[in-house]
Amino acid sequence: MANDANDFVRSMGIATSGLRAQAGRMRVISENIANADSTSAVAGGDPYRRKVPTFSSALDRTMDAQVVTLGKIRPDQSAFHVKYDPSNPSADAAGNVKYPNVNPMVEMTDMREAQRSYEANLNIIGATRRMIQRTLDILKA
């Protein structure tokens, strides 16, 4: 019986780590979307650079289980989008303006994937809670 309780705790702990990681991923994606059309504050300067979340695996010794964590947030090194707009205050001497390397369609796709992963982890927690409740109901009877 104690082993079953540990399995329930482990299951919820692993799913909770997934929730935290996906929530962090959604924050990064939201920041990318929010800055998709921003330009540099100085003429000819670089605009916002897209950020890419990474994940890492870690051993949680209290649960004796592998959990996921949000790793480093890395800058996307792909090229900025450049448009000719000499009237823009962010334009360089040639009249070109650099825009972030953010593709809103890619970000929305990533957001949807993160949301689905988040929901899957919520479902695991819900199912585990229902199993715990059923176990307690059986023990009461």
Side-chain angles (χ1 to χ4, degrees):
M1 182 65 178
N3 235 4
D4 291 338
N6 287 340
D7 290 343
F8 287 140
V9 170
R10 188 175 297 121
S11 174
M12 290 185 81
I14 293 168
T16 300
S17 75
L19 286 175
R20 282 191 204 107
Q22 293 303 330
R25 179 182 179 194
M26 287 188 276
R27 278 192 302 276
V28 172
I29 294 167
S30 295
E31 183 179 329
N32 289 341
I33 292 169
N35 287 288
D37 293 322
S38 63
T39 57
S40 174
V42 296
D46 286 344
Y48 175 84
R49 184 171 290 280
R50 178 179 186 253
K51 296 177 181 176
V52 180
T54 62
F55 298 99
S56 60
S57 179
L59 176 64
D60 184 320
R61 294 187 190 280
T62 59
M63 291 187 301
D64 190 31
Q66 288 291 121
V67 295
V68 66
T69 60
L70 187 64
K72 292 187 178 195
I73 309 301
R74 302 191 187 284
D76 181 346
Q77 295 301 323
S78 63
F80 294 119
H81 304 287
V82 179
K83 293 181 184 172
Y84 180 73
D85 184 4
S87 64
N88 190 312
S90 298
D92 61 15
N96 293 316
V97 179
K98 293 180 192 173
Y99 286 90
N101 56 346
V102 175
N103 180 336
M105 291 303 290
V106 169
E107 300 302 324
M108 292 306 294
T109 301
D110 287 350
M111 180 67 85
R112 187 68 182 137
E113 182 183 316
Q115 180 184 6
R116 286 183 177 152
S117 294
Y118 188 92
E119 289 170 357
N121 283 299
L122 274 179
N123 287 336
I124 290 169
I125 291 171
T128 302
R129 290 179 68 190
R130 286 189 298 277
M131 285 189 277
I132 291 169
Q133 186 60 51
R134 287 182 187 137
T135 302
L136 292 174
D137 291 345
I138 291 169
L139 291 174
K140 286 181 192 176

